[in-house]
Amino acid sequence: MKMTVSARVGLILAALAFVFLPMVLGGQWIKILISTGCFIIAASGVAFMYSRLGMVSLGQVALMGVGGWVMLRMNHAFHLPFEVNLAVAGAVTLMFGWLLAMPALRMRGLYLALITLMAAGGLEVIFSTFRFPNGGEGFWGVMPSVAAPFQRPLLATEDSDYLRYIIFWIVAAFLIIEMHMRTAPGRAWAMIRRSEAAAYSSGVNVVYYKAWAFGLAGFLAGISGGLLAGGLGLLDPATFRASESIMLFALMVVGGSRGWLGVIIAGILYRVVPALFNDWTIDADLALVIFGAALLHAIITAPNGLSGQLLDLIAKLSKRT
């Protein structure tokens, strides 16, 4: 199968990041990039739903919180291997994705966005009220004292190794989506985006493939939330506010939803830019002004986002040489 320019650039960036980033960065920036990588995985689910199905889901960060909650609870309650806990977190959020798919079977556009946003708001209230597990007793697993230690993968106990582990999962998430795009689900999603009536008349099971898309997005959110829990050891409810899902979606539009480079740009904007402002002793809220200007730029002049403009520039330069 022919590899696109975006895929080639993404693999090159992933290889360079895997080898060099843990070697040259300090401890704090490694943690920031671990968080960035987790949100890149989550953003990939939002991007493929928007670009392939035309559906706006504003609950992805909240689903990350579900995955993180399950990951922490499994770790503290059962002490199973990291990968087993991560698989459970992905499976649980996959089912949450199916629940969100139920209204999507009848609604699109603004109404679907509002329903997913309301779901995110409900999860935000739950997280704020009951907090995240930290080794306590009972169903919620919360104790007032210091959190119990979190068990990372055996090959990634140090932050530098865990960053490489995150990069591996970013590539895996992109490959999972790419595999779907090149097989029957991708063809069905493309037909559904063009016309649901035409898809029905062609024998496409629209209900089935919509539920499949929401389940896949939920699975990626759960994996990213579980990986974030592994990177930080304890999660803060403020990380999973409903407004954060809106921000992640907006930055996905800025970066570009049709290629993996756009998703990477979205994650970098979401996490690295505010961290840079804090490092430079600049109010991080100023980043919102920049994001707003970037969103206007993307809507007016860059329908494929910043990644589309960058890839067009690379294509022009390659033709000249």
Side-chain angles (χ1 to χ4, degrees), residues 3-294:
M3 185 178 294
T4 64
V5 174
S6 177
R8 288 197 294 268
V9 172
L11 287 175
I12 292 171
L13 289 175
L16 292 174
F18 187 90
V19 175
F20 294 110
L21 282 182
M23 297 170 54
V24 301
L25 293 177
Q28 183 61 32
W29 275 103
I30 286 179
K31 288 185 178 297
I32 291 170
L33 287 187
I34 286 173
S35 175
T36 301
C38 295
F39 281 94
I40 287 174
I41 296 172
S44 67
V46 178
F48 99 82
M49 287 190 61
Y50 181 65
S51 63
R52 303 301 176 179
L53 278 164
M55 290 185 171
V56 177
S57 176
L58 299 180
Q60 194 75 346
V61 174
L63 289 179
M64 282 183 68
V66 174
W69 190 95
V70 173
M71 188 72 177
L72 290 168
R73 197 70 193 97
M74 291 290 295
N75 174 81
H76 295 310
F78 303 107
H79 308 289
L80 296 173
F82 183 92
E83 289 75 13
V84 174
N85 296 336
L86 189 62
V88 174
V92 171
T93 48
L94 184 149
M95 290 185 285
F96 268 82
W98 283 340
L99 290 175
L100 285 179
M102 295 176 65
L105 303 180
R106 296 180 177 272
M107 299 180 182
R108 296 189 63 166
L110 176 62
Y111 297 107
L112 175 60
L114 289 175
I115 288 173
T116 55
L117 183 60
M118 290 174 64
L123 289 171
E124 176 185 346
V125 172
I126 293 174
F127 295 148
S128 299
T129 303
F130 299 102
R131 317 291 294 179
F132 282 89
N134 61 359
E137 299 294 332
F139 176 79
W140 297 105
V142 177
M143 60 180 178
S145 57
V146 179
F150 190 93
Q151 179 182 344
R152 282 184 177 179
L154 294 177
L155 297 177
T157 55
E158 300 297 327
D159 283 347
S160 57
D161 295 326
Y162 196 77
L163 176 57
R164 291 190 172 98
Y165 190 78
I166 294 292
I167 294 171
F168 165 81
W169 269 105
I170 292 172
V171 175
F174 289 170
L175 290 176
I176 289 171
I177 295 177
E178 189 67 25
M179 178 186 68
H180 280 77
M181 293 298 103
R182 294 171 181 259
T183 53
R187 294 189 291 271
W189 293 334
M191 187 170 293
I192 292 169
R193 179 182 174 90
R194 286 195 297 268
S195 171
E196 289 192 18
Y200 272 118
S201 63
S202 301
V204 174
N205 190 332
V206 174
V207 172
Y208 174 77
Y209 282 109
K210 277 188 175 182
W212 190 328
F214 270 90
L216 178 57
F219 173 78
L220 293 173
I223 292 295
S224 60
L227 291 171
L228 185 63
L232 302 179
L234 182 65
L235 296 177
D236 184 355
T239 305
F240 308 102
R241 292 192 295 257
S243 59
E244 297 302 315
S245 290
I246 300 175
M247 178 64 70
L248 187 65
F249 178 83
L251 293 178
M252 179 273 299
V253 174
V254 171
S257 62
R258 293 188 173 274
W260 311 131
L261 184 58
V263 178
I264 293 172
I265 291 173
I268 290 173
L269 290 173
Y270 186 80
R271 270 293 187 251
V272 175
V273 171
L276 279 173
F277 281 10
N278 283 328
D279 202 39
W280 297 336
T281 64
I282 300 174
D283 188 352
D285 288 340
L286 182 61
L288 298 177
V289 179
I290 297 174
F291 294 161

